[in-house]
C-alpha cells in the first residue's frame, strides 16, 4: 500500500514538472505522443550566444526512480559528446545527480548533491551551466579535460563540430529558438482611429470645471445674503 502511494506521488510530481518544462524554450520533449512519465526522451537546446555549444540540439534521456524525488534521476546524452564531464556512453558526471548526503571520498558536500528539494528543471539547468563551465579536476573524459585546459581553440573547434552533428537530429518542421526572450507583441498598424473617434465627442472636456454657470450664480447669491444679514446686525 505504501509503495503504491509513493508511486502515485512520484507520478503526480513528475507530471507537474513535465508540464512546467513543456513551456520552456530550451527543452523539447521528443516522445510527447508516447510519454513514459518515468523515462523522458528530450533534447536540450543551447541558445546562449556566448556558449561554444550555442545552436546545439542535444538528444538525451532522463530516467526517474519510483521513489522520486527521494532518489535522483539518471541522465545521459544520446549523441557523441566531447566534454570533460561526459562519459563515452553519454552519462554525465555532475554532483546534483549523486545520491543525497555528504561523500568524504569525493569531497562533495551534501549541499552539492541531490536533495528532494531539487527537481528535473534544476538538474537540466545545471547541465547547461556545466557545458560551459566544466569540472576538470575529476573528469569523466580525461582527453577532453586536457584539451580544454591546454588547447582551448582545438576544444572549441570540436565543440562546434558536436553542435553541427546535433543539428541533424532536429525534427523536420521544428524551429530552433534563437533567444530566451519571447517575440514582442504585434504593433498596431493604425491607431489614429482611436483619436479620430474621440475627437468627434464634443462633450469630452479635458480641462473644464464640473461646476456649471447656474451653480456659480447660486453661490454668489448666497454670499450676498450673508453680507446683508451682517449689516442688519450692525445697525441694531
Amino acid at each position: 500500500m505504501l509503495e503504491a502511494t509513493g508511486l502515485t506521488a512520484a507520478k503526480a510530481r513528475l507530471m507537474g514538472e513535465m508540464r512546467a518544462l513543456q513551456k520552456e524554450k530550451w527543452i523539447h520533449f521528443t516522445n510527447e505522443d508516447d510519454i513514459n512519465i518515468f523515462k523522458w526522451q528530450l533534447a536540450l537546446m543551447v541558445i546562449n550566444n556566448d556558449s561554444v555549444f550555442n545552436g546545439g540540439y542535444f538528444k538525451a534521456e532522463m530516467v526517474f526512480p519510483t521513489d522520486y524525488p527521494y532518489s535522483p534521476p539518471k541522465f545521459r546524452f544520446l549523441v557523441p559528446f566531447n566534454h570533460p564531464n561526459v562519459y563515452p556512453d553519454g552519462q554525465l558526471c555532475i554532483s546534483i545527480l549523486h545520491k543525497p548526503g555528504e561523500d568524504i571520498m569525493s569531497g562533495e558536500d551534501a549541499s552539492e548533491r541531490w536533495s528532494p528539494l531539487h527537481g528535473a528543471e534544476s538538474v537540466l539547468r545545471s547541465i547547461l551551466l556545466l557545458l560551459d563551465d566544466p569540472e576538470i579536476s575529476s573528469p569523466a573524459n580525461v582527453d577532453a579535460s586536457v584539451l580544454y585546459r591546454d588547447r582551448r581553440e582545438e576544444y572549441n573547434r570540436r565543440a562546434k563540430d558536436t553542435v553541427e552533428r546535433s543539428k541533424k537530429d532536429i525534427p523536420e518542421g521544428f524551429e530552433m529558438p534563437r533567444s530566451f526572450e519571447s517575440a514582442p507583441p504585434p504593433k498596431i498598424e493604425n491607431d489614429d482611429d482611436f483619436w479620430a473617434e474621440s475627437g468627434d465627442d464634443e462633450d469630452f472636456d479635458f480641462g473644464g470645471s464640473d461646476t456649471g454657470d447656474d451653480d456659480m450664480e447660486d453661490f454668489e447669491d448666497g454670499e450676498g445674503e450673508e453680507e446683508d444679514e451682517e449689516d442688519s446686525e450692525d445697525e441694531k
Side-chain angles (χ1 to χ4, degrees), residues 159-232:
K160 295 296 183 184
D161 289 342
T162 301
V163 170
E164 292 305 312
R165 286 197 305 269
S166 76
K167 290 180 179 179
K168 297 177 182 179
D169 293 324
I170 299 176
E172 185 177 354
F174 179 79
E175 185 175 349
M176 282 282 291
R178 298 181 180 276
S179 166
F180 286 106
E181 300 296 330
S182 301
K187 182 180 179 181
I188 300 175
E189 294 297 332
N190 185 4
D191 55 0
D192 293 338
D193 293 341
F194 171 79
W195 298 108
E197 292 175 2
S198 299
D200 293 338
D201 189 354
E202 295 179 357
D203 296 331
F204 194 80
D205 186 0
F206 281 101
S209 170
D210 292 336
T211 306
D213 293 339
D214 293 339
D215 294 334
M216 289 299 294
E217 290 178 359
D218 293 340
F219 175 77
E220 291 171 354
D221 290 343
E223 189 179 43
E225 291 175 359
E226 291 177 359
E227 291 177 354
D228 293 341
E229 291 176 359
E230 291 176 358
D231 292 341
S232 299

Side-chain angles (χ1 to χ4, degrees), residues 72-73 94-99 108 112-115 118-119 122-123 126-127:
I94 184 172
S95 298
I96 196 174
L97 291 179
H98 295 165
K99 292 181 179 180
E108 291 177 342
E112 300 175 282
R113 296 163 69 90
W114 177 258
S115 161
H118 291 312
S122 59
V123 170
S126 295
I127 291 170

Side-chain angles (χ1 to χ4, degrees), residues 14-78:
L14 286 170
M15 284 297 296
E17 292 190 23
M18 177 178 278
R19 289 194 195 99
L21 284 169
Q22 284 172 330
K23 300 175 183 179
E24 298 289 343
K25 299 177 66 175
W26 49 275
I27 184 172
H28 178 224
F29 287 91
T30 59
N31 65 333
E32 289 186 334
D33 296 332
D34 184 25
I35 292 177
N36 179 344
I37 197 61
F38 287 101
K39 188 175 182 179
W40 294 1
Q41 302 291 327
L42 53 91
L44 280 180
M45 291 171 283
V46 180
I47 48 180
N48 176 9
N49 291 329
D50 297 327
S51 172
V52 293
F53 293 101
N54 183 50
Y57 180 93
F58 303 123
K59 294 181 70 175
E61 70 176 16
M62 204 167 182
V63 180
F64 298 86
T66 55
D67 65 342
Y68 181 81
Y70 300 103
S71 296
K74 294 181 179 179
F75 178 96
R76 73 182 184 97
F77 287 108
L78 300 179

Side-chain angles (χ1 to χ4, degrees), residues 136-153:
I136 62 174
S137 61
S138 55
N141 184 330
V142 176
D143 292 339
S145 177
V146 172
L147 203 63
Y148 178 85
R149 184 190 64 194
D150 300 334
R151 300 162 56 193
R152 188 67 60 87
E153 289 186 5

